[in-house]
Amino acid sequence: MAKQLKKAAKTEEMDMLPVMSLMTVLIPVLLTMTAFQKLAIVEVNLPERSEISMDSEPPPPDDNALNLTVAITREYLEIWARGGSLPKEYYKEMWTFRCRVDGDTITYDPSTFEYDDKGAAKNPPKCQNGTMLDGEKFKYSIETIQLWALQKESEEDPGKVKMSVYSKSDSAYLDGNNEFITDLSVVKPGATVATLAESSARKLACGQSQPGVEDICSEGKPAISFRARSAYDELAKTLIMIHGRFIDSPDADNIIVLADDDAAFDKIINVMDRARDAGFFKINLAKLAAGG
Amino acid sequence: MARKTREYGEKITFSLTSMMDIMTIILVFMIKQVDTEGQLITAAENLVLPNSTSTKVPKEVSLGLVVDQNWVLVDGQRIIETSSVAAQDSLLVEALDVVLKEKREAEKAAMLAKGESDEGGGNVIVQLDKNTYYDIMFKVMATCGFSGFTNVAFAVNMKNAEE
């Protein structure tokens, strides 16, 4: 009896347990509904059939038209404009895989893979702890396809990888003459550089952030990287130049993207991104004729 | 010994108030997020979309076409194997064309019933794995065009574009 009295004297606390159970159910439900990766769309114009068949009569040439075309082949990117072509942008393709087992990335040259009759790789990529990726499906675990820009003197020349200085956020730096910066010592606090983005000239500094000044340091040390230049960046630079120069053409916003049958979708999207960023909004897709 | 029994007998109550606070914050945050996003496209399971700097989000309800490693799917329904799309020579994927034409007719009928012109619509969002060959992408896209879905868009992952 004495015990009971004691209990009644205690302040009554609300029973939160049912509410908690409700919450525990609600939160997983909402978690599954939330998209952590935001999706966007890329719009394209439908392929024009006349451009696919190469033997049809070409439309009468318009002297003012730009007729800008970017071709993606296995070895190079090429730009045609006004009926002429610019120098080919050779690249070396590199595949970066992410290992599920340890979460690390590994980078391979795709030409080192040997395939058997069924199309499965005999020497699939190996993770750092020795696990091999599946020979048949390893292509689907490619995380990024990098295109390293090559300096080639001739078709036969194996080429030299071009290097460039990249910022913390992975944009290539350009100097005052709109050229890629290839010397790491140039990029230091006090220097003025730009990136491929429009009116992006900024001063570099260490440890201070204000408008027009980029802080290149992290924990007191410069955090810039010197690595193989991406062929996409070379392409972007050329496209920006073309868009600026031919802004008066009737088709100044148009671009046709051509690709080989076995070009990966990722490459197409990347090229389309660079074209859109350079100001070419109307993107058409077409196919390279067989053998071309 | 006697002390020990008394301790066991006592009813221990958790203080759930702080936990409730956390839960309430998480709950409100998540409801807000789900509400503002209003997803029109849901990422398909069997594929990895490419990253892109595009910031455009779909405005209208569109037909969902998915090309994953094994199958071509329209609205979650398996239509044809991806490998046979790759193998054929013709640009027109017939099995897909039949389904798409049906969908387009249904869409047109619905628009007419609402008293709108049947010229509009024809939106399709294509989700492709980032390692899909251009050949497959081109055939699927061409088939969409032939069957009346002329506003083709590709779904991509939004990359946080700095600058």
Side-chain angles (χ1 to χ4, degrees):
Chain A
M1 187 61 203
K3 211 176 166 190
Q4 253 182 7
L5 264 175
K6 205 173 153 196
K7 258 198 177 166
K10 257 191 182 171
T11 44
E12 196 69 32
E13 231 180 75
M14 219 201 294
D15 188 7
M16 297 274 199
L17 269 176
V19 189
M20 279 296 295
S21 338
L22 186 72
M23 292 266 192
T24 339
V25 174
L26 266 177
I27 286 175
V29 166
L30 284 174
L31 258 174
T32 50
M33 278 167 71
T34 322
F36 288 101
Q37 188 70 58
K38 266 194 165 177
L39 294 186
I41 54 166
V42 175
E43 282 174 336
V44 286
N45 294 339
L46 278 182
E48 289 171 35
R49 297 191 83 188
S50 60
E51 276 158 8
I52 303 161
S53 54
M54 293 304 231
D55 48 12
S56 67
E57 277 295 304
D62 181 349
D63 287 343
N64 290 323
L66 182 56
N67 289 328
L68 186 68
T69 308
V70 177
I72 309 166
T73 70
R74 272 174 219 121
E75 283 162 3
Y76 55 84
L77 304 172
E78 191 172 17
I79 300 174
W80 289 293
R82 294 214 157 163
S85 79
L86 277 97
K88 289 169 182 164
E89 190 57 59
Y90 286 95
Y91 63 77
K92 182 182 173 71
E93 194 168 328
M94 295 300 270
W95 291 350
T96 303
F97 300 87
R98 186 172 291 280
C99 287
R100 293 240 169 121
V101 277
D102 51 7
D104 269 339
T105 55
I106 36 172
T107 304
Y108 272 80
D109 179 350
S111 62
T112 58
F113 296 123
E114 285 167 33
Y115 298 96
D116 61 13
D117 306 336
K118 285 179 193 159
K122 286 188 228 159
N123 51 346
K126 237 189 214 166
C127 293
Q128 273 164 11
N129 65 358
T131 358
M132 288 225 216
L133 296 181
D134 181 44
E136 259 176 80
K137 297 270 181 184
F138 77 98
K139 278 190 186 170
Y140 287 98
S141 45
I142 299 176
E143 180 149 292
T144 36
I145 299 175
Q146 299 175 41
L147 307 184
W148 292 1
L150 290 182
Q151 182 74 52
K152 273 196 184 193
E153 302 306 327
S154 65
E155 293 262 338
E156 292 77 33
D157 186 5
K160 230 175 75 190
V161 177
K162 294 186 204 169
M163 303 297 279
S164 209
V165 184
Y166 278 81
S167 75
K168 263 196 280 190
S169 56
D170 219 22
S171 345
Y173 282 128
L174 300 176
D175 63 12
N177 301 323
N178 217 17
E179 293 293 336
F180 287 105
I181 296 179
T182 51
D183 186 358
L184 201 55
S185 61
V186 177
V187 183
K188 55 176 186 267
T192 307
V193 295
T195 62
L196 286 163
E198 227 173 286
S199 52
S200 56
R202 79 284 293 276
K203 259 197 133 93
L204 300 179
C206 197
Q208 42 173 300
S209 59
Q210 56 197 66
V213 174
E214 188 191 352
D215 179 14
I216 54 165
C217 296
S218 126
E219 291 164 5
K221 282 190 206 135
I224 45 178
S225 58
F226 185 59
R227 60 171 176 82
R229 188 186 308 159
S230 163
Y232 295 130
D233 287 332
E234 290 269 5
L235 176 78
K237 191 173 143 236
T238 318
L239 287 179
I240 291 168
M241 197 256 305
I242 293 175
H243 191 254
R245 191 170 296 173
F246 297 100
I247 197 86
D248 297 327
S249 311
D251 57 347
D253 292 338
N254 293 29
I255 190 166
I256 300 169
V257 177
L258 283 168
D260 263 346
D261 272 358
D262 58 356
F265 179 49
D266 191 56
K267 279 197 221 172
I268 318 270
I269 288 289
N270 265 304
V271 168
M272 279 162 68
D273 273 355
R274 301 304 163 117
R276 202 181 42 246
D277 291 346
F280 299 98
F281 296 105
K282 291 179 195 148
I283 303 172
N284 269 288
L285 290 170
K287 228 171 166 177
L288 268 182
Chain B
M1 190 65 205
R3 219 180 89 213
K4 218 171 188 179
T5 6
R6 204 170 65 221
E7 252 180 29
Y8 273 119
E10 220 167 63
K11 209 180 165 191
I12 304 159
T13 49
F14 290 100
S15 170
L16 292 174
T17 322
S18 48
M19 186 98 100
M20 276 292 295
D21 290 347
I22 301 169
M23 290 282 197
T24 320
I25 292 170
I26 298 178
L27 195 70
V28 168
F29 167 76
M30 294 205 126
I31 289 177
K32 206 182 130 240
Q33 192 152 10
V34 170
D35 185 54
T36 48
E37 268 174 16
Q39 292 264 318
L40 278 175
I41 31 172
T42 16
E45 301 233 322
N46 247 334
L47 49 82
V48 186
L49 294 171
N51 292 328
S52 163
T53 51
S54 171
T55 47
K56 218 175 218 178
V57 284
K59 298 238 155 48
E60 291 166 81
V61 182
S62 315
L63 185 74
L65 208 160
V66 173
V67 182
D68 66 20
Q69 298 170 31
N70 309 315
W71 290 91
V72 177
L73 304 102
V74 174
D75 276 346
Q77 199 187 346
R78 285 178 181 179
I79 307 296
I80 185 171
E81 273 183 70
T82 310
S83 53
S84 55
V85 176
Q88 70 170 32
D89 285 329
S90 154
L91 269 185
L92 184 78
V93 186
E94 268 171 43
L96 183 62
D97 187 52
V98 172
V99 181
L100 286 180
K101 275 203 173 111
E102 246 172 56
K103 297 263 180 197
R104 182 71 181 133
E105 287 308 315
E107 190 189 39
K108 276 185 179 172
M111 290 190 99
L112 283 177
K114 272 197 284 179
E116 292 169 20
S117 148
D118 63 357
E119 290 295 304
N123 299 311
V124 61
I125 294 179
V126 186
Q127 295 189 41
L128 291 143
D129 187 276
K130 66 183 187 183
N131 296 308
T132 313
Y133 288 143
Y134 183 60
D135 183 43
I136 297 173
M137 164 190 174
F138 199 82
K139 281 171 185 163
V140 167
M141 195 170 62
T143 309
C144 287
F146 290 140
S147 48
F149 285 94
T150 45
N151 298 323
V152 183
F154 295 104
V156 287
N157 275 334
M158 212 185 278
K159 192 159 63 179
N160 293 337
E162 179 256 8
E163 294 166 89

